[in-house]
C-alpha cells in the first residue's frame, strides 16, 4: 500500500479586535479605508435595522470611495433560515461579489448568525465584520464565531464556526431598542457576572437603572466586560470541550423552557428562569450558599426578568427536552452550576455536571 500524507497542521492567527464606543458607525468607513484592501463591502441587515442604520452606513462607505452594497431580509427569527441564506447568496452572486469582498453584518443576533454563515460559505469563505445593534448581539452573538441558521428540526442546526475580522459596537444604536430587548441582553450579562465576575455582578446590582436610561458609560462598561469575559472563555476553549460550557449556565433548563413553550417565552426570560432553577439545584447540592442564590433572584427582579417557569409548562416534556438537548451526553442531563457569584463548580476537572432527573423534577415541582 502506498501512503501520501496531506499535511495540514498549521497555526493561523484569527485574533480580532472589538471596538466599543459612541458614534462608531460614522467612523467605520475611515477605519476600513485605512485597514484592508477589499474590493467591495456587502452590508447584510434586516428590514428594521437597514432603514434605521443600514442606509446611513452604506452612504458613509460609498462617500469614502468604498464600493458597497446593502442587502436586507425581513426581520425576525423565522427568517433565520436556509431560504434567507440562499437568497442573500444569490443576490451577492448577481452583484458579482468575489473572493476579495467582505460582509458587514449590521443588526441583532439573527443578522449576525445569518450573515456570518453566508460569509463562512460564500466562495468557500470571505471575511466578515460584525456591527451588532442589540445588547444580545453586543455581548453574546457577535463574539465567539458561532454562525448558524434554524431548520424545521431545531434552532441553529446548520452552521459553522467562523470568526469575524473585526467587531464595531456603537452604543448609540442601542437607543432605538425597546426595553424588552435590553432585558434580553441583560440576562446574558447577569450570567457573565455569576460565572466569572463578581465585580460585574455588583455593578449591575447598583446600576440597573442607569442601563435602562441608556447611560453611555454604564452601557460601555457592561458591554466591554461582557465582550472580555466571552472573549477570554472562547480563546481558551473555542470548540466547547470544557471551559466554554460555563457559558451555558441557565441554558440547560432555559432551552427546554423555550422549546416546549414553542418559543413564546423569549430566550432571555427562559434563561433567567433557568439560572434561578439551576441555582436552586446548586443550593440543594450544597455547591453555593443561600446568599448567592438570593442576590441572583433579587437582581432578576430588579431587571424585570422572570424567575419561575409558568406552571402551565409540562414537567415531563421539559425534562425530555433537556435529554434531547445538544449538550446532553447519552441522554444524561448536564449542567454548569455556580460555586459563588463569580465562579463555577468544577468536578474532576470538568465544568459539566451530570444531574439526576429526579432532582431536577423535584426542584421544578417546588418552584
Ligand atoms: N452566535 C451566537 O453565539 C449567538 C449567541 C446568542 C444568540 N444568538 C442568536 O441571536 C438571535 C437573537 O438575537 P437578538 O436578540 O439580537 O434578536 P434579533 O436579531 O431578532 O433582534 C431583535 C429585534 O430588534 C430589532 N433591532 C435590532 N437592532 C435594533 C436597533 N438598534 N434598534 C431597533 N431595533 C433593532 C431587530 O430588527 C429585531 O426585530 C437568535 O437567533 C440566537 O440564536 C447567537
Ligand atoms: Zn443565551
Amino acid at each position: 500500500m502506498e501512503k501520501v500524507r496531506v499535511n495540514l497542521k498549521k497555526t493561523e492567527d484569527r485574533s480580532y479586535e472589538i471596538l466599543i464606543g459612541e458614534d462608531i458607525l460614522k467612523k467605520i468607513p475611515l477605519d476600513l479605508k485605512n485597514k484592508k484592501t477589499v474590493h467591495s463591502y456587502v452590508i447584510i441587515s434586516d428590514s428594521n435595522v437597514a432603514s434605521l442604520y443600514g442606509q446611513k452606513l452604506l452612504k458613509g462607505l460609498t462617500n469614502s470611495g468604498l464600493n458597497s452594497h446593502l442587502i436586507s431580509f425581513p426581520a425576525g427569527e423565522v427568517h433565520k433560515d436556509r431560504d434567507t441564506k440562499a437568497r442573500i447568496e444569490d443576490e451577492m452572486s448577481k452583484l458579482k461579489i468575489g473572493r476579495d469582498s467582505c460582509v458587514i453584518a449590521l443588526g441583532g443576533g439573527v443578522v449576525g448568525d445569518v450573515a456570518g454563515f453566508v460569509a463562512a460559505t460564500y466562495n468557500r469563505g470571505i471575511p466578515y465584520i460584525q456591527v451588532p445593534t442589540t445588547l444580545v448581539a453586543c455581548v453574546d452573538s457577535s463574539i465567539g464565531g458561532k454562525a448558524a441558521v434554524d431548520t424545521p428540526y431545531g434552532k441553529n442546526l446548520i452552521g459553522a464556526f467562523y470568526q469575524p475580522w473585526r467587531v464595531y459596537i456603537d452604543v448609540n444604536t442601542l437607543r432605538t431598542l425597546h426595553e424588552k430587548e435590553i432585558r434580553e441582553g441583560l440576562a446574558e450579562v447577569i450570567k457573565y457576572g455569576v460565572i466569572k465576575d463578581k465585580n460585574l455582578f455588583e455593578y449591575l446590582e447598583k446600576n440597573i437603572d442607569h442601563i435602562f436610561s441608556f447611560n453611555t458609560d454604564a452601557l460601555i462598561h457592561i458591554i466591554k466586560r461582557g465582550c472580555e469575559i466571552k472573549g477570554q472563555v472562547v480563546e481558551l476553549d473555542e470548540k466547547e470541550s470544557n471551559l466554554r460550557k460555563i457559558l451555558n449556565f441557565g441554558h440547560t433548563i432555559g432551552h427546554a423552557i423555550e422549546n416546549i413553550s414553542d418559543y413564546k417565552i423569549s430566550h432571555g426570560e427562559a434563561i433567567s428562569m433557568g439560572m434561578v432553577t439551576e441555582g436552586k439545584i446548586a443550593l440543594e447540592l450544597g455547591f453555593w450558599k443561600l446568599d448567592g442564590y438570593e442576590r441572583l433572584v433579587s437582581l432578576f427582579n430588579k431587571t424585570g426578568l422572570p424567575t419561575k417557569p409558568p406552571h402551565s409548562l409540562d414537567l415531563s416534556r421539559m425534562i425530555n427536552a433537556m435529554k434531547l438537548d445538544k449538550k446532553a451526553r447519552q441522554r444524561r442531563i448536564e449542567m454548569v452550576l455556580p460555586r459563588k457569584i463569580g465562579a463555577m463548580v468544577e468536578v474532576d476537572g470538568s465544568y459539566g455536571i451530570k444531574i439526576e432527573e429526579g432532582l431536577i423534577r423535584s426542584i421544578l415541582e417546588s418552584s
Side-chain angles (χ1 to χ4, degrees), residues 14-187:
R14 290 167 299 136
S15 315
Y16 57 91
E17 279 171 347
I18 304 170
L19 304 167
I20 310 162
E22 280 191 285
D23 283 334
I24 297 279
L25 219 52
K26 278 192 204 141
K27 296 173 189 154
I28 294 176
L30 186 64
D31 201 47
L32 291 181
K33 221 175 151 178
N34 295 335
K35 284 280 166 353
K36 206 168 190 172
T37 39
V38 168
H39 182 266
S40 33
Y41 288 93
V42 182
I43 305 168
I44 299 178
S45 196
D46 72 18
S47 42
N48 296 331
V49 184
S51 53
L52 281 167
Y53 307 108
Q55 294 295 346
K56 274 185 220 157
L57 180 59
L58 179 68
K59 214 168 149 198
L61 292 169
T62 313
N63 288 347
S64 299
L66 299 168
N67 188 16
S68 310
H69 308 272
L70 170 64
I71 297 176
S72 73
F73 61 92
E77 182 76 29
V78 288
H79 297 289
K80 191 179 122 173
D81 61 6
R82 285 177 287 200
D83 275 357
T84 300
K85 180 175 182 270
R87 248 180 278 131
I88 295 170
E89 289 158 348
D90 289 349
E91 259 190 73
M92 286 169 62
S93 301
K94 250 189 260 163
L95 290 166
K96 302 202 171 13
I97 299 298
R99 297 189 76 165
D100 51 358
S101 306
C102 178
V103 162
I104 301 180
L106 174 72
V110 165
V111 168
D113 280 11
V114 171
F117 191 25
V118 166
T121 59
Y122 188 82
N123 276 203
R124 298 200 180 88
I126 60 174
Y128 81 113
I129 293 168
Q130 290 271 19
V131 187
T133 62
T134 62
L135 188 56
V136 167
C138 291
V139 298
D140 193 355
S141 56
S142 66
I143 318 140
K146 281 187 184 176
V149 293
D150 306 333
T151 79
Y153 297 94
K155 275 187 56 124
N156 299 320
L157 283 187
I158 311 289
F161 278 96
Y162 197 57
Q163 301 293 345
W165 169 54
R166 288 197 123 200
V167 182
Y168 293 102
I169 301 180
D170 184 339
V171 291
N172 282 348
T173 61
L174 303 181
R175 293 179 193 280
T176 46
L177 287 173
H178 294 295
E179 207 175 278
K180 186 184 176 313
E181 299 299 340
I182 297 291
R183 266 198 291 273
E184 285 292 301
L186 277 173

Side-chain angles (χ1 to χ4, degrees), residues 217-237:
D217 291 341
L219 285 173
I220 292 180
H221 180 79
I222 61 162
I223 291 171
K224 183 163 181 237
R225 270 317 281 147
C227 291
E228 279 168 351
I229 293 168
K230 183 150 184 197
Q232 282 159 5
V233 170
V234 170
E235 263 170 26
L236 294 169
D237 179 18

